[in-house]
Amino acid sequence: LHVDRQVNGCSDHEGEEAYNLDGEELWFADFIKKEGVEPQPPFIDHITYVDEAYQTAEADQQTCKSNLDVARRAMKDFKIED
């Protein structure tokens, strides 16, 4: 069995989107260079992601930041219990 993971997260200033298989990073979005990166070693059968993967990652970041704003507004009046 293999463990396949997708990581997607954001803050006000940063974001992350990556795909992993068995603890190895297969693809991640480089939001500074505005491209997808496939950091796979040369000795494996290379797994390629579609060209639209980076555009999808950018759209996911917009959704994440929108959801973050909604959660902040919803939680602003909640009191923290001691």
Side-chain angles (χ1 to χ4, degrees), residues 17 26-31 33-39 49-51 53-55 57:
E17 178 128 2
L26 298 178
W27 184 93
F28 69 90
D30 186 332
F31 293 115
K33 293 182 180 178
K34 300 194 178 297
E35 65 183 13
V37 178
E38 297 174 344
Y49 285 78
V50 295
D51 292 336
Y54 180 76
Q55 287 77 15

Side-chain angles (χ1 to χ4, degrees), residues 45-65:
D45 290 334
H46 193 80
I47 299 171
T48 301
Y49 285 78
V50 295
D51 292 336
E52 293 82 21
Y54 180 76
Q55 287 77 15
T56 301
E58 282 188 326
D60 289 346
Q61 287 299 298
Q62 293 302 317
T63 302
C64 184
K65 289 179 181 182

Side-chain angles (χ1 to χ4, degrees), residues 1-54:
L1 295 174
H2 295 282
V3 178
D4 185 22
R5 298 186 196 273
Q6 176 186 6
V7 176
N8 183 2
C10 65
S11 69
D12 289 330
H13 307 290
E14 295 183 288
E16 176 76 22
E17 178 128 2
Y19 297 97
N20 300 278
L21 180 64
D22 294 338
E24 297 293 327
E25 196 165 48
L26 298 178
W27 184 93
F28 69 90
D30 186 332
F31 293 115
I32 295 171
K33 293 182 180 178
K34 300 194 178 297
E35 65 183 13
V37 178
E38 297 174 344
Q40 301 162 43
F43 55 83
I44 68 166
D45 290 334
H46 193 80
I47 299 171
T48 301
Y49 285 78
V50 295
D51 292 336
E52 293 82 21
Y54 180 76

